[in-house]
Amino acid sequence: MDYQAILEEISQEVRPFLKNGKVADYIPALASVDPEQFAMSITLFDGTQYSVGDMDKCFSIQSISKVFSFTLALKTFGKKLYERIGIEPSGNPFNSLVQLEYEHGKPRNPFINAGAINVTDALVNHYKSDELAFLEVLNFIKSIADDDSILSNEIVSKSEMEYGHRNIALANLMKSFNNLDNDVTKVVDVYFRHCSIEMNTKMLSRAMLYLANHGVDPINAKRYISAQQAKRINAVMLTCGHYDASGDFAFHVGLPGKSGVGGGIVAVVPKLMGISVWAPGLNAQGNSLVGTKALELFTSKTSLSIF
Ligand code: GLU
C-alpha cells in the first residue's frame, strides 16, 4: 500500500476543515496555539515511518499521557488496580464530578480525569515520591518513543495548576471517599506534569507500537507489558479513549485510540502500525475535529479498521 500517497491525500482533504475546530482555551498556553496546523504519522513494525504536515512540531500530549500512566500502573499493580478504578465508559465529559459523587469516589475508567488522577496516585504510592512517579512516566515515554529528548513544558503544567480547580475538586472528592492516598496537590501536580509532556506525531506513532504488538516493542523486542495487559489497554482505549464521543470514534474510525485536548490523537492498528494525528481545533466533546476526520479517512481508504 502506498501509505505516503494516502497520507497526502488525507491532508489535502481535511485542510479546509481546520478552521472549524476550536482550540482548548482553559489555559492561556493552549489557547494561543494556531489552529491551522496539521500532522499525521504512521510507524510500521520495522520502524518505517510515513508522515505529512507539521510532523516535527511538538505539541502538548495532554490526555494521551493517560495511556502511558495507565500502562505503568497496570504493569505495577496488575488486577489490584481495578479496586480503585473501573473500566466502563463514563458517557460523561472528561472532567465531570457528578458521576464520581454517586459512585462513591471510584472513577469509571483510567482515561477520564478522575481515573487518571487516581492512577497517578497509585504510582506515587509505588515510587514513594511524586518526583519519582513523574520521572518514571517520562522515562517510560522516552523508552517507548525511543527518544531521549522528550520533555514536559513547565509553563503549561504551572498554568494547569493555576486554573486546575476542577481537577483539584475531583481529587478532593476521591480523597473524601478514601480513594486517594497522597496529598491532593502533589498528585494533581504530577498528573499535570505528565499531561504537559510535548511530542510530535512521529514520536507518538512510534510510541504506540508496543500496544499494536501484544506488549512487545517490535523494533527492539523489549517487552513492556504482558499480551493480556496490552489487550486490556486497547480495549479501554476503544471504549473510553474519546470520553463521551468514544462510541462515535469507534463508529467512524474503528480503531483503539486516545485523544488529548492539545489536539493530538494516537491509534493502533493491531499487528501492523502505530498512528498519530494532530490538529489543535477540537469538536464539542474536546477531541480533535480534523484529527478524527483524518483517521476516519485513513481507515476508509485502507480498510484497516478492526471491524
Ligand atoms: N490536562 C487536561 C485536563 O486535565 C487533560 C484533558 C484532556 O486532554 O482531555 O483538563
Side-chain angles (χ1 to χ4, degrees), residues 56-81:
D56 293 308
K57 186 97 187 261
C58 285
F59 54 90
S60 202
I61 67 169
Q62 291 294 328
S63 285
I64 294 172
S65 66
K66 296 171 180 173
V67 176
F68 309 132
S69 56
F70 178 43
T71 300
L72 261 192
L74 197 55
K75 178 192 173 92
T76 308
F77 296 99
K79 281 189 197 137
K80 260 193 95 58
L81 190 66

Side-chain angles (χ1 to χ4, degrees), residues 1-12:
M1 204 157 349
D2 188 347
Y3 289 122
Q4 190 60 42
I6 291 169
L7 292 187
E8 272 156 28
E9 233 176 84
I10 293 171
S11 169
Q12 290 294 322

Side-chain angles (χ1 to χ4, degrees), residues 120-138:
T120 303
D121 180 55
L123 292 174
V124 175
N125 278 348
H126 180 71
Y127 295 110
K128 300 194 170 44
S129 123
D130 45 329
E131 187 57 32
L132 281 181
F134 166 71
L135 285 177
E136 288 294 331
V137 176
L138 180 63

